[in-house]
Amino acid sequence: MTGAPQVSWALFVDESGQDRRYSPYEVLAGVAIEDRRIWPLICQIADAQRYFFGMPLFEAYGAEAKAKELLKTKTYKLAAQMEPFSNEERRQLAKEMLENGDAPSCARLTALGQAKIAYCEFVLKLAEKHQGKIFATMVQRDAPRPPDGDAMRKDYAFFLERFYYFLNQTPDDPMGFLVFDELDKSASHVLLGQISRYFQRTSNGRARSRLIVPEPFFVHSDLSSLIQIADLVAYIVSWGLRLPRMPATTRPELAPLVEIVRRMRYRHLTDGGDAVWGVKEIRDLRPRAAVATKKGNAAYPPQSLHF
């Protein structure tokens, strides 16, 4: 065989705010990483956990370290109790707190809070260094939803559309793989069926299967560092990022992390000079056909593509 080796991109996907109770927005977020960069990035994330916490976070929590635990408001309050520690002292105190949570002290709690914030910023910058691209949708809690479980929600359709655009605009048309956080088995089967029907039964889906493998992979987030990055992005988008005319307030302390997410978001300029973004608010989750039926076959209103 001759020529340059073929490459592919994996889109690691997770969600935030699906309970529709506390989070300002329901977010579907993904981080796309080129295949040759995946393993180096995973290794660097593992090294980062040892650098900031003195141990792997899975050993500390017995499960995935979710963004809602790492970046909750209390973390920032604890981190601000004392002046910043040196890297070495912060690591030692954070490790002591993780190993013996029954013996907290002001210094240990503060160091752990500082370590969590520094770690999240560091791993986002790692993903940026590896040229990761971010895709996300933001949905208000009261947005209209599909009446049944057969049709794929519009946020997923948008998600696949923008990932396809990205692949199609990348030299040599690389293939794309979808890697989802594993839900319970029944929920995973429902999503798998929806995606399968989209790729097999819709014209857009059939066209996009040229570059996106139609059958997604499901992995347990405890075992995938990059699903955890997607979880981090989803949380930051929900609580800290706002598009034009989005009224919900933000948490200002997340601003440094939001700026990294903004830099990593997918963006494409059309031949006409319009910007197409990978982060978008979806105000109605019903598929186009369902909305048209609801409105008596009225024309479907387009949504703007600005960021």
Side-chain angles (χ1 to χ4, degrees):
M1 297 180 65
T2 61
Q6 294 296 308
V7 300
S8 62
W9 287 73
L11 183 63
F12 296 89
V13 185
D14 205 353
E15 301 171 323
S16 181
Q18 265 54 43
D19 58 5
R20 288 185 277 160
R21 295 177 61 191
Y22 305 112
S23 300
Y25 290 93
E26 182 178 350
V27 173
L28 176 69
V31 180
I33 304 292
E34 188 181 347
D35 54 4
R36 65 188 177 91
R37 297 179 179 273
I38 290 175
W39 181 242
L41 178 54
I42 289 173
C43 292
Q44 290 168 7
I45 291 172
D47 290 342
Q49 292 187 5
R50 293 183 175 88
Y51 176 81
F52 286 100
F53 303 103
M55 61 190 303
L57 285 177
F58 186 85
E59 289 184 11
Y61 292 107
E64 175 192 0
K66 301 287 286 185
K68 63 182 180 181
E69 168 63 29
L70 295 173
L71 293 176
K72 60 186 178 183
T73 302
K74 185 177 180 180
T75 296
Y76 282 86
K77 291 180 178 178
L78 292 173
Q81 291 183 124
M82 301 172 65
E83 292 296 317
F85 292 100
S86 67
N87 293 335
E88 294 76 10
E89 189 175 9
R90 181 184 64 198
R91 177 171 56 248
Q92 181 59 39
L93 289 168
K95 185 172 184 291
E96 291 172 1
M97 187 66 223
L98 290 173
E99 290 179 331
N100 189 5
D102 294 331
S105 69
C106 182
R108 288 178 174 178
L109 289 169
T110 302
L112 181 58
Q114 292 177 5
K116 288 179 178 179
I117 296 167
Y119 166 75
C120 291
E121 182 172 358
F122 185 82
V123 295
L124 281 177
K125 288 181 176 178
L126 276 180
E128 181 182 24
K129 181 180 178 181
H130 283 275
Q131 301 178 19
K133 295 296 179 183
I134 284 174
F135 303 81
T137 57
M138 307 176 69
V139 180
Q140 292 187 2
R141 288 178 290 195
D142 59 352
R145 295 166 189 276
D148 57 59
D150 290 336
M152 189 171 69
R153 292 173 18 161
K154 195 193 301 181
D155 53 346
Y156 281 86
F158 166 85
F159 210 65
L160 297 175
E161 173 191 86
R162 289 302 190 267
F163 187 41
Y164 173 79
Y165 287 173
F166 165 72
L167 295 169
N168 196 43
Q169 291 147 9
T170 301
D172 301 321
D173 285 352
M175 289 298 295
F177 297 85
L178 304 171
V179 185
F180 284 88
D181 184 14
E182 186 177 49
L183 311 168
D184 63 78
K185 285 190 175 182
S186 60
S188 295
H189 280 297
V190 169
L191 179 58
L192 186 62
Q194 292 172 346
I195 292 177
S196 176
R197 285 187 288 273
Y198 169 79
F199 279 114
Q200 295 179 22
R201 301 181 187 178
T202 70
S203 58
N204 283 339
R206 287 191 293 269
R208 289 162 190 163
S209 67
R210 180 178 71 89
L211 295 180
I212 301 176
V213 176
E215 186 166 306
F217 297 94
F218 290 89
V219 300
H220 201 291
S221 56
D222 289 349
L223 307 177
S224 173
S225 302
L226 301 188
I227 288 290
Q228 294 172 26
I229 298 296
D231 168 66
L232 193 61
V233 170
Y235 184 90
I236 292 166
V237 169
S238 180
W239 287 96
L241 189 149
R242 296 294 175 265
L243 308 182
R245 296 184 296 279
M246 292 180 73
T249 59
T250 63
R251 286 174 45 195
E253 69 270 21
L254 294 174
L257 305 179
V258 171
E259 180 55 33
I260 302 172
V261 170
R262 286 184 181 275
R263 294 198 302 262
M264 292 177 63
R265 70 198 189 277
Y266 163 72
R267 176 178 181 268
H268 173 68
L269 286 177
T270 66
D271 294 337
D274 296 323
V276 178
W277 298 94
V279 178
K280 181 177 175 64
E281 180 185 16
I282 305 295
R283 298 181 180 178
D284 189 333
L285 290 172
R286 294 171 295 177
R288 182 175 305 199
V291 175
T293 301
K294 185 75 173 180
K295 295 184 177 181
N297 294 321
Y300 191 77
Q303 294 189 0
S304 63
L305 299 180
H306 60 71
F307 183 83

mmCIF file of all heavy atoms in Angstrom, residues 156-186:
data_model
loop_
_atom_site.group_PDB
_atom_site.id
_atom_site.type_symbol
_atom_site.label_atom_id
_atom_site.label_comp_id
_atom_site.label_asym_id
_atom_site.label_seq_id
_atom_site.Cartn_x
_atom_site.Cartn_y
_atom_site.Cartn_z
ATOM 1 N N TYR A 156 -29.656 15.294 18.882
ATOM 2 C CA TYR A 156 -28.769 14.259 18.351
ATOM 3 C C TYR A 156 -28.577 14.415 16.845
ATOM 4 O O TYR A 156 -27.471 14.217 16.327
ATOM 5 C CB TYR A 156 -29.333 12.871 18.673
ATOM 6 C CG TYR A 156 -29.072 12.419 20.084
ATOM 7 C CD1 TYR A 156 -29.932 12.764 21.122
ATOM 8 C CD2 TYR A 156 -27.954 11.663 20.395
ATOM 9 C CE1 TYR A 156 -29.687 12.361 22.430
ATOM 10 C CE2 TYR A 156 -27.698 11.245 21.700
ATOM 11 C CZ TYR A 156 -28.573 11.599 22.708
ATOM 12 O OH TYR A 156 -28.317 11.200 23.992
ATOM 13 N N ALA A 157 -29.645 14.778 16.131
ATOM 14 C CA ALA A 157 -29.523 14.984 14.687
ATOM 15 C C ALA A 157 -28.560 16.128 14.393
ATOM 16 O O ALA A 157 -27.723 16.037 13.480
ATOM 17 C CB ALA A 157 -30.898 15.262 14.086
ATOM 18 N N PHE A 158 -28.678 17.212 15.143
ATOM 19 C CA PHE A 158 -27.751 18.327 14.960
ATOM 20 C C PHE A 158 -26.323 17.894 15.254
ATOM 21 O O PHE A 158 -25.390 18.229 14.516
ATOM 22 C CB PHE A 158 -28.123 19.475 15.898
ATOM 23 C CG PHE A 158 -27.039 20.519 16.028
ATOM 24 C CD1 PHE A 158 -26.934 21.547 15.116
ATOM 25 C CD2 PHE A 158 -26.111 20.451 17.060
ATOM 26 C CE1 PHE A 158 -25.932 22.493 15.224
ATOM 27 C CE2 PHE A 158 -25.102 21.381 17.172
ATOM 28 C CZ PHE A 158 -25.014 22.422 16.253
ATOM 29 N N PHE A 159 -26.160 17.145 16.305
ATOM 30 C CA PHE A 159 -24.856 16.654 16.731
ATOM 31 C C PHE A 159 -24.171 15.874 15.607
ATOM 32 O O PHE A 159 -23.011 16.118 15.258
ATOM 33 C CB PHE A 159 -25.087 15.753 17.939
ATOM 34 C CG PHE A 159 -23.966 15.708 18.922
ATOM 35 C CD1 PHE A 159 -23.604 16.824 19.641
ATOM 36 C CD2 PHE A 159 -23.283 14.530 19.143
ATOM 37 C CE1 PHE A 159 -22.587 16.768 20.565
ATOM 38 C CE2 PHE A 159 -22.266 14.464 20.067
ATOM 39 C CZ PHE A 159 -21.917 15.588 20.778
ATOM 40 N N LEU A 160 -24.913 14.938 15.014
ATOM 41 C CA LEU A 160 -24.359 14.119 13.939
ATOM 42 C C LEU A 160 -24.112 14.949 12.681
ATOM 43 O O LEU A 160 -23.138 14.715 11.961
ATOM 44 C CB LEU A 160 -25.309 12.956 13.637
ATOM 45 C CG LEU A 160 -25.520 11.978 14.792
ATOM 46 C CD1 LEU A 160 -26.577 10.940 14.426
ATOM 47 C CD2 LEU A 160 -24.218 11.295 15.181
ATOM 48 N N GLU A 161 -24.983 15.903 12.437
ATOM 49 C CA GLU A 161 -24.799 16.780 11.276
ATOM 50 C C GLU A 161 -23.496 17.561 11.370
ATOM 51 O O GLU A 161 -22.702 17.587 10.436
ATOM 52 C CB GLU A 161 -25.968 17.762 11.175
ATOM 53 C CG GLU A 161 -25.803 18.829 10.103
ATOM 54 C CD GLU A 161 -26.841 19.912 10.231
ATOM 55 O OE1 GLU A 161 -26.621 20.872 11.011
ATOM 56 O OE2 GLU A 161 -27.882 19.808 9.550
ATOM 57 N N ARG A 162 -23.230 18.181 12.510
ATOM 58 C CA ARG A 162 -22.027 19.003 12.650
ATOM 59 C C ARG A 162 -20.761 18.139 12.650
ATOM 60 O O ARG A 162 -19.734 18.542 12.110
ATOM 61 C CB ARG A 162 -22.104 19.832 13.936
ATOM 62 C CG ARG A 162 -23.125 20.959 13.867
ATOM 63 C CD ARG A 162 -22.835 21.902 12.709
ATOM 64 N NE ARG A 162 -23.654 23.086 12.775
ATOM 65 C CZ ARG A 162 -24.838 23.240 12.168
ATOM 66 N NH1 ARG A 162 -25.322 22.233 11.448
ATOM 67 N NH2 ARG A 162 -25.524 24.349 12.275
ATOM 68 N N PHE A 163 -20.842 16.959 13.252
ATOM 69 C CA PHE A 163 -19.683 16.059 13.213
ATOM 70 C C PHE A 163 -19.401 15.647 11.769
ATOM 71 O O PHE A 163 -18.236 15.572 11.349
ATOM 72 C CB PHE A 163 -19.957 14.840 14.088
ATOM 73 C CG PHE A 163 -18.779 13.907 14.260
ATOM 74 C CD1 PHE A 163 -17.489 14.404 14.443
ATOM 75 C CD2 PHE A 163 -18.954 12.533 14.245
ATOM 76 C CE1 PHE A 163 -16.401 13.549 14.612
ATOM 77 C CE2 PHE A 163 -17.876 11.665 14.422
ATOM 78 C CZ PHE A 163 -16.596 12.183 14.585
ATOM 79 N N TYR A 164 -20.447 15.392 11.002
ATOM 80 C CA TYR A 164 -20.262 15.053 9.589
ATOM 81 C C TYR A 164 -19.633 16.217 8.833
ATOM 82 O O TYR A 164 -18.722 16.019 8.025
ATOM 83 C CB TYR A 164 -21.604 14.678 8.958
ATOM 84 C CG TYR A 164 -21.508 14.483 7.471
ATOM 85 C CD1 TYR A 164 -21.009 13.304 6.925
ATOM 86 C CD2 TYR A 164 -21.906 15.499 6.594
ATOM 87 C CE1 TYR A 164 -20.905 13.130 5.557
ATOM 88 C CE2 TYR A 164 -21.810 15.336 5.221
ATOM 89 C CZ TYR A 164 -21.305 14.156 4.708
ATOM 90 O OH TYR A 164 -21.195 13.998 3.346
ATOM 91 N N TYR A 165 -20.122 17.444 9.068
ATOM 92 C CA TYR A 165 -19.525 18.609 8.412
ATOM 93 C C TYR A 165 -18.027 18.682 8.699
ATOM 94 O O TYR A 165 -17.213 18.943 7.810
ATOM 95 C CB TYR A 165 -20.192 19.896 8.904
ATOM 96 C CG TYR A 165 -21.584 20.134 8.390
ATOM 97 C CD1 TYR A 165 -22.344 21.196 8.877
ATOM 98 C CD2 TYR A 165 -22.164 19.308 7.419
ATOM 99 C CE1 TYR A 165 -23.628 21.433 8.422
ATOM 100 C CE2 TYR A 165 -23.449 19.541 6.962
ATOM 101 C CZ TYR A 165 -24.175 20.607 7.465
ATOM 102 O OH TYR A 165 -25.448 20.846 7.017
ATOM 103 N N PHE A 166 -17.677 18.470 9.972
ATOM 104 C CA PHE A 166 -16.269 18.527 10.360
ATOM 105 C C PHE A 166 -15.445 17.483 9.603
ATOM 106 O O PHE A 166 -14.386 17.788 9.056
ATOM 107 C CB PHE A 166 -16.143 18.323 11.868
ATOM 108 C CG PHE A 166 -14.743 18.016 12.328
ATOM 109 C CD1 PHE A 166 -13.773 19.000 12.337
ATOM 110 C CD2 PHE A 166 -14.404 16.739 12.753
ATOM 111 C CE1 PHE A 166 -12.478 18.721 12.748
ATOM 112 C CE2 PHE A 166 -13.119 16.449 13.168
ATOM 113 C CZ PHE A 166 -12.148 17.445 13.164
ATOM 114 N N LEU A 167 -15.943 16.254 9.564
ATOM 115 C CA LEU A 167 -15.209 15.195 8.869
ATOM 116 C C LEU A 167 -15.100 15.496 7.378
ATOM 117 O O LEU A 167 -14.057 15.288 6.751
ATOM 118 C CB LEU A 167 -15.909 13.851 9.074
ATOM 119 C CG LEU A 167 -15.949 13.315 10.519
ATOM 120 C CD1 LEU A 167 -16.908 12.135 10.615
ATOM 121 C CD2 LEU A 167 -14.559 12.922 11.001
ATOM 122 N N ASN A 168 -16.174 15.988 6.805
ATOM 123 C CA ASN A 168 -16.207 16.261 5.369
ATOM 124 C C ASN A 168 -15.258 17.398 4.984
ATOM 125 O O ASN A 168 -14.774 17.451 3.843
ATOM 126 C CB ASN A 168 -17.638 16.605 4.957
ATOM 127 C CG ASN A 168 -17.841 16.531 3.468
ATOM 128 O OD1 ASN A 168 -17.371 15.595 2.806
ATOM 129 N ND2 ASN A 168 -18.544 17.498 2.900
ATOM 130 N N GLN A 169 -14.995 18.293 5.938
ATOM 131 C CA GLN A 169 -14.112 19.425 5.659
ATOM 132 C C GLN A 169 -12.671 19.155 6.059
ATOM 133 O O GLN A 169 -11.795 20.006 5.854
ATOM 134 C CB GLN A 169 -14.637 20.669 6.412
ATOM 135 C CG GLN A 169 -15.945 21.197 5.865
ATOM 136 C CD GLN A 169 -16.829 21.807 6.933
ATOM 137 O OE1 GLN A 169 -16.410 21.995 8.080
ATOM 138 N NE2 GLN A 169 -18.060 22.119 6.574
ATOM 139 N N THR A 170 -12.401 17.985 6.615
ATOM 140 C CA THR A 170 -11.052 17.599 7.003
ATOM 141 C C THR A 170 -10.390 16.881 5.828
ATOM 142 O O THR A 170 -11.027 16.069 5.162
ATOM 143 C CB THR A 170 -11.099 16.675 8.230
ATOM 144 O OG1 THR A 170 -11.736 17.366 9.309
ATOM 145 C CG2 THR A 170 -9.696 16.268 8.660
ATOM 146 N N PRO A 171 -9.127 17.188 5.526
ATOM 147 C CA PRO A 171 -8.458 16.541 4.392
ATOM 148 C C PRO A 171 -8.556 15.023 4.432
ATOM 149 O O PRO A 171 -8.468 14.411 5.500
ATOM 150 C CB PRO A 171 -7.005 17.018 4.540
ATOM 151 C CG PRO A 171 -7.106 18.334 5.241
ATOM 152 C CD PRO A 171 -8.261 18.190 6.190
ATOM 153 N N ASP A 172 -8.756 14.424 3.273
ATOM 154 C CA ASP A 172 -8.811 12.967 3.077
ATOM 155 C C ASP A 172 -10.080 12.323 3.623
ATOM 156 O O ASP A 172 -10.173 11.087 3.692
ATOM 157 C CB ASP A 172 -7.586 12.269 3.691
ATOM 158 C CG ASP A 172 -6.275 12.766 3.084
ATOM 159 O OD1 ASP A 172 -6.253 13.002 1.861
ATOM 160 O OD2 ASP A 172 -5.311 12.926 3.842
ATOM 161 N N ASP A 173 -11.082 13.128 4.003
ATOM 162 C CA ASP A 173 -12.363 12.583 4.453
ATOM 163 C C ASP A 173 -12.202 11.441 5.458
ATOM 164 O O ASP A 173 -12.565 10.287 5.197
ATOM 165 C CB ASP A 173 -13.184 12.079 3.256
ATOM 166 C CG ASP A 173 -13.794 13.216 2.452
ATOM 167 O OD1 ASP A 173 -13.712 14.366 2.907
ATOM 168 O OD2 ASP A 173 -14.337 12.948 1.375
ATOM 169 N N PRO A 174 -11.673 11.703 6.636
ATOM 170 C CA PRO A 174 -11.501 10.625 7.627
ATOM 171 C C PRO A 174 -12.844 10.085 8.097
ATOM 172 O O PRO A 174 -13.857 10.781 8.069
ATOM 173 C CB PRO A 174 -10.760 11.320 8.771
ATOM 174 C CG PRO A 174 -11.173 12.756 8.661
ATOM 175 C CD PRO A 174 -11.300 13.020 7.181
ATOM 176 N N MET A 175 -12.842 8.839 8.555
ATOM 177 C CA MET A 175 -14.049 8.247 9.131
ATOM 178 C C MET A 175 -14.212 8.714 10.572
ATOM 179 O O MET A 175 -13.231 9.026 11.258
ATOM 180 C CB MET A 175 -13.977 6.724 9.092
ATOM 181 C CG MET A 175 -14.111 6.127 7.705
ATOM 182 S SD MET A 175 -15.718 6.510 6.929
ATOM 183 C CE MET A 175 -16.857 5.640 8.034
ATOM 184 N N GLY A 176 -15.450 8.735 11.035
ATOM 185 C CA GLY A 176 -15.744 9.121 12.403
ATOM 186 C C GLY A 176 -16.449 8.007 13.153
ATOM 187 O O GLY A 176 -17.304 7.302 12.588
ATOM 188 N N PHE A 177 -16.105 7.855 14.427
ATOM 189 C CA PHE A 177 -16.715 6.849 15.298
ATOM 190 C C PHE A 177 -17.393 7.569 16.459
ATOM 191 O O PHE A 177 -16.897 8.581 16.963
ATOM 192 C CB PHE A 177 -15.670 5.877 15.837
ATOM 193 C CG PHE A 177 -14.979 5.069 14.775
ATOM 194 C CD1 PHE A 177 -13.875 5.577 14.109
ATOM 195 C CD2 PHE A 177 -15.438 3.806 14.441
ATOM 196 C CE1 PHE A 177 -13.235 4.843 13.129
ATOM 197 C CE2 PHE A 177 -14.803 3.059 13.463
ATOM 198 C CZ PHE A 177 -13.703 3.578 12.805
ATOM 199 N N LEU A 178 -18.523 7.042 16.899
ATOM 200 C CA LEU A 178 -19.263 7.607 18.023
ATOM 201 C C LEU A 178 -19.039 6.742 19.251
ATOM 202 O O LEU A 178 -19.233 5.521 19.205
ATOM 203 C CB LEU A 178 -20.757 7.663 17.711
ATOM 204 C CG LEU A 178 -21.143 8.435 16.443
ATOM 205 C CD1 LEU A 178 -22.620 8.212 16.129
ATOM 206 C CD2 LEU A 178 -20.846 9.911 16.605
ATOM 207 N N VAL A 179 -18.631 7.363 20.352
ATOM 208 C CA VAL A 179 -18.376 6.643 21.601
ATOM 209 C C VAL A 179 -19.213 7.303 22.696
ATOM 210 O O VAL A 179 -18.935 8.426 23.110
ATOM 211 C CB VAL A 179 -16.884 6.666 21.983
ATOM 212 C CG1 VAL A 179 -16.640 5.800 23.217
ATOM 213 C CG2 VAL A 179 -16.010 6.202 20.824
ATOM 214 N N PHE A 180 -20.244 6.606 23.149
ATOM 215 C CA PHE A 180 -21.172 7.141 24.133
ATOM 216 C C PHE A 180 -20.891 6.583 25.514
ATOM 217 O O PHE A 180 -20.431 5.442 25.656
ATOM 218 C CB PHE A 180 -22.617 6.791 23.761
ATOM 219 C CG PHE A 180 -23.184 7.616 22.643
ATOM 220 C CD1 PHE A 180 -23.010 7.229 21.328
ATOM 221 C CD2 PHE A 180 -23.900 8.775 22.903
ATOM 222 C CE1 PHE A 180 -23.536 7.970 20.290
ATOM 223 C CE2 PHE A 180 -24.429 9.529 21.875
ATOM 224 C CZ PHE A 180 -24.246 9.122 20.559
ATOM 225 N N ASP A 181 -21.217 7.393 26.514
ATOM 226 C CA ASP A 181 -21.224 6.897 27.887
ATOM 227 C C ASP A 181 -22.309 5.833 27.989
ATOM 228 O O ASP A 181 -23.436 6.017 27.527
ATOM 229 C CB ASP A 181 -21.510 8.047 28.856
ATOM 230 C CG ASP A 181 -21.441 7.625 30.306
ATOM 231 O OD1 ASP A 181 -20.928 6.521 30.582
ATOM 232 O OD2 ASP A 181 -21.897 8.397 31.163
ATOM 233 N N GLU A 182 -21.965 4.700 28.576
ATOM 234 C CA GLU A 182 -22.913 3.597 28.671
ATOM 235 C C GLU A 182 -24.032 3.933 29.640
ATOM 236 O O GLU A 182 -23.800 4.248 30.806
ATOM 237 C CB GLU A 182 -22.202 2.326 29.129
ATOM 238 C CG GLU A 182 -23.099 1.103 29.115
ATOM 239 C CD GLU A 182 -22.347 -0.158 29.507
ATOM 240 O OE1 GLU A 182 -21.656 -0.122 30.543
ATOM 241 O OE2 GLU A 182 -22.428 -1.141 28.784
ATOM 242 N N LEU A 183 -25.254 3.867 29.147
ATOM 243 C CA LEU A 183 -26.437 4.043 29.967
ATOM 244 C C LEU A 183 -26.831 2.674 30.501
ATOM 245 O O LEU A 183 -26.130 1.681 30.305
ATOM 246 C CB LEU A 183 -27.549 4.644 29.116
ATOM 247 C CG LEU A 183 -27.150 5.880 28.278
ATOM 248 C CD1 LEU A 183 -28.240 6.196 27.271
ATOM 249 C CD2 LEU A 183 -26.858 7.062 29.166
ATOM 250 N N ASP A 184 -27.963 2.575 31.175
ATOM 251 C CA ASP A 184 -28.438 1.235 31.487
ATOM 252 C C ASP A 184 -28.792 0.550 30.165
ATOM 253 O O ASP A 184 -28.997 1.184 29.144
ATOM 254 C CB ASP A 184 -29.637 1.291 32.428
ATOM 255 C CG ASP A 184 -30.837 1.994 31.804
ATOM 256 O OD1 ASP A 184 -31.536 1.371 30.987
ATOM 257 O OD2 ASP A 184 -31.050 3.176 32.125
ATOM 258 N N LYS A 185 -28.848 -0.770 30.170
ATOM 259 C CA LYS A 185 -28.952 -1.515 28.916
ATOM 260 C C LYS A 185 -30.176 -1.136 28.106
ATOM 261 O O LYS A 185 -30.120 -1.002 26.880
ATOM 262 C CB LYS A 185 -28.944 -3.019 29.203
ATOM 263 C CG LYS A 185 -27.569 -3.558 29.576
ATOM 264 C CD LYS A 185 -27.558 -5.071 29.613
ATOM 265 C CE LYS A 185 -26.156 -5.597 29.877
ATOM 266 N NZ LYS A 185 -26.097 -7.072 29.882
ATOM 267 N N SER A 186 -31.308 -0.957 28.766
ATOM 268 C CA SER A 186 -32.526 -0.630 28.023
ATOM 269 C C SER A 186 -32.404 0.726 27.355
ATOM 270 O O SER A 186 -32.782 0.902 26.192
ATOM 271 C CB SER A 186 -33.741 -0.658 28.954
ATOM 272 O OG SER A 186 -33.598 0.292 30.003
#
